[in-house]
Amino acid sequence: MPGISNYIGRFAPSPTGSLHFGSLLAALASFLDARANQGRWLVRMEDLDPPREIAGAAAQILRTLENFGFYWDGPVRYQSQHLDLYQQALQQLRKQQQAYPCYCSRQQIAQRHAAVYDGYCQQQKQPPRPPEPNHPAAIRVIVGDSRIGFDDAIQGHYQQQLKTEVGDFVIRRRDGLYAYQLAVVVDDAAQQVSHIVRGYDLLDSTPRQIQLQQRLQLPTPEYAHIPILVNSQGQKLSKQTYASAIDPDQPHRSLFRALQLLGQQPPEDLRAGSTHEMLRWGINHWQLSWVPRQPHLAESLLES
């Protein structure tokens, strides 16, 4: 089967806990899409938020991926080892006058009855000053009036008017930590990622990332956003909603169900197969067009 020339995909978990079934869906979809297109598949650890990280979680995530038969190409990339690249990107945006310091607290923004950030600090005639000595500033990027759209391989066309729907967004937090939106753009470019398969919950982040790619003169990958699992309250299945960790000792059961939820229709006799056999079948039969388009899948489907 012919693949896509120079395909590079990636899976980028955060070390804030064990992998849950929602993470498995994203890992499996990105892995199969890369391998079915004879591409490379990278693993990146998004470890930029130390207060939320759990000791040993990164190593546990990697062990789980190995138990499930997900082999990756090259060394694992840790974001915490590339802070200089994020600083360079931030300085470039500041030099181009496309980013500015912001001292507004969430309470102050709410008091102005702003649905999204209203550009208060950028609109001042004089550069904003800290309300007190040594008061830290966030750095926000100016979104302007642009409407950013793209064609998602699963969800179809999606677009946002960033100024009214998002507002000038943070690329470095007040605590000095680099924000996800900036880091992910810099890393994808540095790793030459060409295709991104990830959860629907990140669909509305994509226009922000595309704008940053354009501002930094970086290539824009192809995107595909798979449905995410939600609990009975409609919340995304995640570490924050106390999602149960997947059982690393029974990977074949979880893989079979994940193939089904991704719309791939594995044959019933594959249920008794090994992890290797399931992944080989998945690679040989993978159809991105079969992945359900609906944004959410109920957690109860795991038991059906």
Side-chain angles (χ1 to χ4, degrees), residues 117-137:
Y117 184 70
D118 53 6
Y120 177 84
C121 286
Q122 193 264 334
Q123 295 168 4
Q124 302 306 301
K125 293 182 179 179
Q126 298 294 329
R129 294 183 177 182
E132 55 190 39
N134 301 319
H135 187 87

Side-chain angles (χ1 to χ4, degrees), residues 210-251:
I210 291 175
Q211 186 180 70
L212 284 175
Q213 290 157 2
Q214 294 172 348
R215 297 277 179 86
L216 295 168
Q217 297 181 317
L218 301 175
T220 295
E222 300 290 331
Y223 290 94
H225 288 84
I226 68 170
I228 60 171
L229 285 169
V230 296
N231 61 22
S232 58
Q233 286 77 46
Q235 300 169 315
K236 175 193 172 185
L237 199 66
S238 69
K239 298 151 191 169
Q240 286 70 40
T241 56
Y242 307 105
S244 300
I246 52 179
D247 187 351
D249 297 323
Q250 298 188 19

